[in-house]
Amino acid sequence: MTEPAPESAVALVGMAGRFPGAADVEQLRRNLAAGRPGLRELTDDELAAAGVDPATPGHVRVGGPVAGGVETFDAAAFGLSAREAETLEPHHRLLLECSWEALERAGYRPTDPGLPVGLFAGCAFPDYLTRNLDGLAAEPGGKPLLSAGVERDSLTSLVSYKLGLRGPAITVQTYCSTSLVAVHLACQSLLTYECDLALAGGAALPLPQTGGHAFEEGSILSPDGRVRALDADANGTVMGSGAAVVALKRLEDALADGDVVHAVLLGSAVNNDGRDRAGYPAPGVAGQAAVVDTALAVAGVKPETVGYVECHAVGTPLGDSIELAALNRVFGPGRAAPCVLSSVKPSIGHLDRASGVTSLIRAALNLRDGVLPGTAGFRTPNPAMTDRFTVLPADRPWPGGGTPRRAGVSSFGVGGTNAHVVLEEPPVRPPRPSGGPHLLTFSAGDATALDEVTARLRAHLASHPDVDLGDVAFTLQVSRGHFALRRAVVVRDLPDAVAALADSARWIDGETRRRDPRFRLVAGPGSEWASTASAVHRLLAGADVPAPAPTRAGALSASAAGLTRLGIRLDESAADELVLDGGAAEEQVLTILARLWLAGCTVDWAALHRGAGRRVELPPYPFQRRRFWVDAAQAPRPAAHVPSWRLDPQPLAGLESRVRAAGPWLVFAADPVGEALAARITLAGGEVTTVRPGPGFAFLDTGDFVVGPGDLPALQRALVVVPRTVVHGFALGGAPGDVSEAAGLWPGMVTLTSGAAGVLGPDLTTPSHAGLTVLTARHVDVGVDAALDQVLAAVLQAETPLAVRGDQSWRPHHEPCALEGHAQAPVYRAADVPAGDGLPDLGGRRGLLLVRPDAPGRVLAAEARVARLAGRGLWTTVVSAADPAPAVLGAVAAADHLTEVVLSGVPLVRPVPAAGSVESVEPSASVRPRPALGTPFVEPEPGLEQEVAARWAAALGYAEIGADDNFFELGGRSAGAVRIAAHWNLPATAVVELPTVRLLAARIAGRS
């Protein structure tokens, strides 16, 4: 920094965390610099351990499990019994560890640190409670365990209790912005002198850790497991797991106390979007802009001096666009260079309650190291990004200048609580060589941990040859000595320290069993008291104390005064002797001090360094983790599902208005039913184009078309308007044509078949067409006696498949079925059935047909059902995404009454794919009257307003929508708003910013 920091500046003095693929902050820094992602593909074994079937439709096998897992814990370090440890919620565990490490990284004792320390943190929902500890409350002593170690209310108070922290302990819960709000509250607590050091952070550890996620249309989750933050191709996020904590102090105190300063927090702000947003979970432009603007005002800096913003940007098209719109309001034009925007989430996922503090840590590292960060996988800017900003595909150096490097960090929570922090690079720390010898002291809970502390320290010194050894000694002395098992090493300089830490003969070990014992100082042998007096004076005397006489008496007097100054209790009547030899050099004097410390004396280490000690960042304590975990009870789940059909008549009320709203229509007709369907749509006032099969492509005078093989792309190009609803009914005429190609051209297409589904049994008349039922997301099977209006109502139903028989519709249903017993039966697979030969005739014998849930599998299943009805074998079809275990097939064979069994991993309900099509807004199945709103109904104007209103009505299921009705007050959601905007090629935020029919229509008209 080249400018003085304000009095309200706060120093970031310590950082700790565990992240996907990174066990600490330094490993996270290295991973980000090397482009190593924390998100990864999960293995089959991991998914199996999580109880997840990767063949489940929509499952994305990408995750960000926290490095090191959550099942292990060092109970002894925190004084917990085995029962307390195994019931301790994972968020509490990692927050304990990270708080400890943040204090150590800052150079303070992790227990009873010697100054008022506040703690502000929050965590995600405790899945461990519902998955693993479901019955704990009913067990003896269970309720106290729940209240102290599982409930979120106890999160910070338990840590404060275990670490002896005496400042405020406040649990913060604002969803995704939790940990950055905690940072803001910690700064306020410091500036009002509630505490002198504050810890702030959060944790998010969903269970199971290695389960991946199930993509659902309309959710914020990515369909392909990639996070494309700030990118035009952003399509969702991936939730990662992690915990992180930062240690903060008032900057003035941090500099005076010799603390490490990684970055300076100049100002922060928190607010809420209120009602100025699309819905409770949706973000708001005005609120986000206001919180950034307020934080800059608090910091006293201008937006043009901020060179980089670590964005919330989770990779959703609407959320990222709103954040960019908010930043655009604050960061005005005229910058000398665009502000760099970045997000850590493409690398490690969205860490939810830990995301804000993780972003803060990343920004602090970049400021400290002079790095303008890249964003992993970035290719094309989000359309909402202006030339005031840029996103880098890779890191690049951040050159210094007259203005200090500054960065902003944003975090926005579900529910509208926003937080922003303004950071500045740390002040330059001048080098300061200190002469030896030095006394290195540290401790651990057991011998294994003590040796690991030694090895870690040695490796750190070997890899940091420029570190000041005096600062290392001071940091160790004031922060690493709270365990009873202790080790001290006296060294001359850094190379000697590296050697000594590898030489057990130079270790001074001991176990403290007393507290502040008294000693009697006596003279030992030797005659070179002048050197002893000199050594004692240089190491132990105060700054202004005159040199002692170079005699035995002078050396003893100086030793007594120096040791007393350091807090050693000397008593002439004490039984324990402290022997000072004549001729003792400085190394021997420090050895005496080391043995006093090992004996349990409390040493004023700051006095030893005459108040000039400085802290440096050193490796944290190596927790000796063991498995403390209550395994989740394996709840019995149905081994299989048996398919059947249930009556589900589709409503005919308002049919004609729904038909009109679903237009324009494109109907492929090859038989009288298809022709009648097109005629009925026309009669209802719908706009319909009919396509009939023929030898080749032709456009008819009536406006209809004829298509032959391979003509579908030409048909799509020839259509004057883009159809909203496409019905493919060629199969009704016997020859289905290329249904798969048509489905690719028109996502959301409805396929009509006849006799491809067996609702009643004998109605399964065309088993060869059963494969068509899985080629498209929407399917209606039409019986020979089907009522036309019921068919049309079924076509308008977004949730299919359906089968129409007479004037009723039927919907498939899957009933759970527990398979028991065991029997032998031959198993036939698709490869065992020669093409065209059909299934073998088993007569009255059993047979299992194993098929996949694909088109060929459905055809074979239908043929097996027809064969069973015809008496050609007791066939049972087993539909499975993978080969079942022999025991499962044996249990199916024992259930000879079953016609078909669907095993786990097979979709029981097929979702309609979103696709990138403008037709992804489907008409609602039922029409409701317009709800009572505070806005009076205003009839939309003919033309564009009526077109917009009709589309909204179809999507929301209302009979009519007024020109001034608010999309979100009508119950619309942000995902639907994005799809509606896409229909007119508008920005993702268009409906959010223009939420009424009239406003949106005006925008569309103005653009055209």
Side-chain angles (χ1 to χ4, degrees):
M1 286 190 311
T2 59
E3 299 176 2
E7 293 182 359
S8 60
V10 171
L12 196 165
V13 298
M15 301 179 286
R18 284 170 57 187
F19 313 94
D24 55 33
V25 170
E26 175 57 24
Q27 188 175 1
L28 175 67
R29 184 196 66 80
R30 293 196 304 268
N31 287 353
L32 293 174
R36 286 189 294 268
L39 295 178
R40 60 178 176 83
E41 183 174 343
L42 302 170
T43 66
D44 289 341
D45 289 344
E46 287 176 323
L47 293 171
V52 174
D53 188 340
T56 302
H59 180 264
V60 179
R61 58 184 302 160
V62 173
V66 67
V70 295
E71 296 89 354
T72 59
F73 185 63
D74 190 342
F78 297 99
L80 291 169
S81 69
R83 183 58 171 156
E84 290 172 325
E86 71 176 5
T87 57
L88 190 65
E89 219 278 328
H91 296 107
H92 290 60
R93 301 178 185 208
L94 263 68
L95 193 70
L96 269 168
E97 292 185 356
C98 289
S99 297
W100 174 304
E101 182 178 336
L103 287 167
E104 280 195 329
R105 293 280 192 181
Y108 289 86
R109 283 170 57 103
T111 60
D112 301 312
L115 73 171
V117 178
L119 175 59
F120 303 82
C123 68
F125 181 82
D127 290 336
Y128 195 54
L129 170 63
T130 56
R131 289 176 55 89
N132 303 64
L133 305 177
D134 190 37
L136 181 60
E139 297 179 13
K143 288 184 178 179
L145 292 172
L146 284 174
S147 64
V150 179
E151 285 194 23
R152 287 189 279 186
D153 284 359
S154 67
L155 181 70
T156 54
S157 57
L158 178 72
V159 175
S160 292
Y161 170 67
K162 286 297 179 182
L163 302 187
L165 311 181
R166 298 183 179 274
I170 308 297
T171 298
V172 183
Q173 297 296 161
T174 62
Y175 288 103
C176 317
S177 60
T178 289
S179 56
L180 202 63
V181 171
V183 169
H184 169 78
L185 295 176
C187 291
Q188 300 302 307
S189 185
L190 286 167
L191 297 177
T192 55
Y193 290 83
E194 289 179 331
C195 57
D196 292 334
L197 189 151
L199 302 176
L205 303 162
L207 298 178
Q209 282 277 290
T210 58
H213 68 255
F215 170 72
E216 295 180 7
E217 175 58 30
S219 76
I220 68 168
L221 298 177
S222 167
D224 58 6
R226 294 184 59 191
V227 181
R228 301 174 177 86
L230 305 171
D231 201 291
D233 294 329
N235 62 352
T237 196
V238 175
M239 304 306 294
S241 298
V245 173
V246 293
L248 307 170
K249 283 184 73 174
R250 292 179 290 272
L251 178 62
E252 183 180 11
D253 293 348
L255 296 176
D257 295 341
D259 295 329
V260 178
V261 179
H262 299 285
V264 177
L265 283 69
L266 296 178
S268 63
V270 168
N271 72 0
N272 191 276
D273 292 322
R275 296 181 62 187
D276 192 11
R277 50 191 158 135
Y280 175 76
V285 175
Q288 292 185 11
V291 80
V292 176
D293 196 43
T294 302
L296 288 167
V298 171
V301 301
K302 297 179 180 179
E304 55 266 28
T305 67
V306 175
Y308 143 59
V309 175
E310 181 67 25
C311 297
H312 180 69
V314 301
T316 60
L318 180 63
D320 287 7
S321 298
I322 286 178
E323 183 171 2
L324 290 168
L327 288 172
N328 200 53
R329 291 188 183 186
V330 178
F331 287 73
R335 294 177 59 95
C339 178
V340 172
L341 304 182
S342 188
S343 173
V344 73
K345 293 170 182 68
S347 298
I348 62 173
H350 182 16
L351 301 193
D352 196 8
R353 272 67 159 195
S355 63
V357 71
T358 301
S359 295
L360 179 76
I361 288 171
R362 187 196 190 203
L365 292 171
N366 290 327
L367 284 167
R368 184 194 70 185
D369 300 338
V371 173
L372 285 171
T375 298
F378 178 79
R379 293 185 302 181
T380 307
N382 182 301
M385 190 178 302
T386 67
D387 58 4
R388 303 170 192 178
F389 306 104
T390 188
V391 178
L392 305 177
D395 293 354
R396 75 181 187 199
W398 189 351
T403 301
R405 299 183 183 96
R406 289 177 182 144
V409 180
S410 292
S411 190
F412 309 128
V414 172
T417 298
N418 308 308
H420 189 80
V421 175
V422 180
L423 299 173
E424 188 170 272
E425 63 181 317
V428 177
R429 193 180 210 185
R432 186 190 64 174
S434 55
H438 303 284
L439 174 60
L440 308 183
T441 61
F442 41 91
S443 63
D446 58 40
T448 301
L450 188 62
D451 288 345
E452 193 170 343
V453 170
T454 308
R456 283 188 176 190
L457 179 61
R458 180 177 183 273
H460 179 82
L461 296 181
S463 61
H464 293 78
D466 297 330
V467 69
D468 182 84
L469 197 57
D471 293 344
V472 172
F474 175 73
T475 304
L476 291 171
Q477 291 158 5
V478 298
S479 66
R480 305 303 204 270
H482 52 285
F483 286 109
L485 196 62
R486 298 179 173 184
R487 177 168 294 165
V489 185
V490 178
V491 299
R492 295 184 302 276
D493 51 27
L494 196 141
D496 184 52
V498 174
L501 290 169
D503 184 0
S504 60
R506 295 183 61 180
W507 301 346
I508 309 169
D509 287 0
E511 186 172 1
T512 300
R513 298 184 180 275
R514 296 183 293 174
R515 186 170 183 175
D516 284 337
R518 297 173 184 270
F519 286 88
R520 177 165 49 92
L521 182 63
V522 298
S527 58
E528 296 297 325
W529 292 102
S531 62
T532 301
S534 175
V536 168
H537 179 263
R538 195 184 84 79
L539 293 176
L540 305 183
D544 299 326
V545 175
T551 62
R552 175 177 176 274
L556 288 173
S557 176
S559 297
L563 291 172
T564 301
R565 188 178 74 88
L566 299 184
I568 308 300
R569 302 171 68 190
L570 300 178
D571 187 341
E572 289 297 327
S573 63
D576 294 322
E577 289 186 348
L578 176 61
V579 179
L580 180 67
D581 295 335
E586 292 178 350
E587 286 83 353
Q588 283 73 43
V589 174
L590 289 181
T591 299
I592 291 172
L593 189 60
R595 297 194 181 281
L596 289 170
W597 175 67
L598 292 174
C601 293
T602 300
V603 180
D604 186 346
W605 298 111
L608 177 67
H609 292 263
R610 299 182 175 89
R614 298 195 311 187
R615 293 174 171 84
V616 291
E617 191 173 37
L618 295 176
Y621 182 72
F623 291 114
Q624 303 301 296
R625 300 182 178 96
R626 291 173 44 214
R627 191 176 191 273
F628 289 100
W629 194 253
V630 177
D631 290 317
Q634 296 299 317
R637 288 193 282 178
H641 287 80
V642 176
S644 62
W645 292 82
R646 285 186 175 178
L647 196 62
D648 186 17
Q650 299 303 298
L652 301 181
L655 180 63
E656 295 195 349
S657 64
R658 285 187 283 144
V659 167
R660 291 192 295 272
W665 290 72
L666 183 67
V667 176
F668 290 76
D671 79 320
V673 175
E675 295 289 351
L677 188 68
R680 180 68 180 88
I681 294 169
T682 302
L683 183 63
E687 180 184 349
V688 60
T689 299
T690 304
V691 182
R692 299 176 180 86
F697 182 76
F699 175 64
L700 306 180
D701 294 340
T702 59
D704 297 332
F705 292 88
V706 174
V707 294
D711 287 337
L712 292 182
L715 170 65
Q716 187 185 46
R717 291 191 298 270
L719 292 174
V720 177
V721 295
V722 177
R724 286 199 185 118
T725 306
V726 179
V727 180
H728 197 290
F730 278 3
L732 300 179
D738 196 340
V739 176
S740 181
E741 182 183 10
L745 294 173
W746 294 284
M749 180 185 82
V750 183
T751 301
L752 301 183
T753 59
S754 180
V759 177
L760 307 173
D763 55 340
L764 178 55
T765 57
T766 319
S768 61
H769 285 186
L772 300 178
T773 64
V774 298
L775 294 181
T776 58
R778 303 178 63 202
H779 166 244
V780 176
D781 191 73
V782 182
V784 293
D785 58 346
L788 190 62
D789 277 9
Q790 187 65 203
V791 173
L792 190 54
V795 167
L796 288 169
Q797 168 62 271
E799 296 180 4
T800 63
L802 290 170
V804 182
R805 301 294 185 263
D807 60 355
Q808 302 287 357
S809 289
W810 297 75
R811 182 180 298 280
H813 172 72
H814 291 79
E815 190 72 32
C817 173
L819 296 175
E820 299 175 352
H822 184 81
Q824 296 291 333
V827 179
Y828 295 82
R829 292 172 171 80
D832 302 326
V833 182
D837 290 354
L839 295 171
D841 188 344
L842 301 180
R845 291 177 288 116
R846 293 281 288 127
L848 302 185
L849 175 64
L850 180 60
V851 301
R852 298 289 187 253
D854 53 18
R858 294 315 307 163
V859 170
L860 283 173
E863 291 179 352
R865 184 167 188 183
V866 170
R868 182 172 182 130
L869 290 172
R872 298 197 302 272
L874 295 177
W875 287 100
T876 298
T877 301
V878 181
V879 185
S880 178
D883 284 357
V888 174
L889 292 175
V892 174
D896 58 3
H897 62 287
L898 299 180
T899 301
E900 183 173 319
V901 175
V902 180
L903 299 182
S904 61
V906 176
L908 304 182
V909 176
R910 291 191 304 280
V912 178
S917 167
V918 298
E919 304 315 309
S920 54
V921 176
E922 300 294 341
S924 175
S926 59
V927 176
R928 299 165 288 168
R930 175 181 177 270
L933 302 174
T935 306
F937 178 80
V938 177
E939 186 73 34
E941 295 290 336
L944 193 54
E945 282 192 9
Q946 288 187 351
E947 182 181 349
V948 173
R951 187 164 186 82
W952 287 20
L956 299 174
Y958 291 121
E960 57 183 2
I961 288 179
D964 295 329
D965 291 355
N966 187 293
F967 180 81
F968 300 100
E969 291 179 4
L970 290 166
R973 302 184 61 130
S974 57
V978 171
R979 292 195 293 269
I980 285 174
H983 176 74
W984 282 284
N985 293 319
L986 295 173
T989 57
V991 180
V992 175
E993 297 170 349
L994 306 165
T996 71
V997 167
R998 181 150 291 167
L999 290 174
L1000 188 64
R1003 169 70 179 275
I1004 298 168
R1007 185 195 62 186
S1008 59

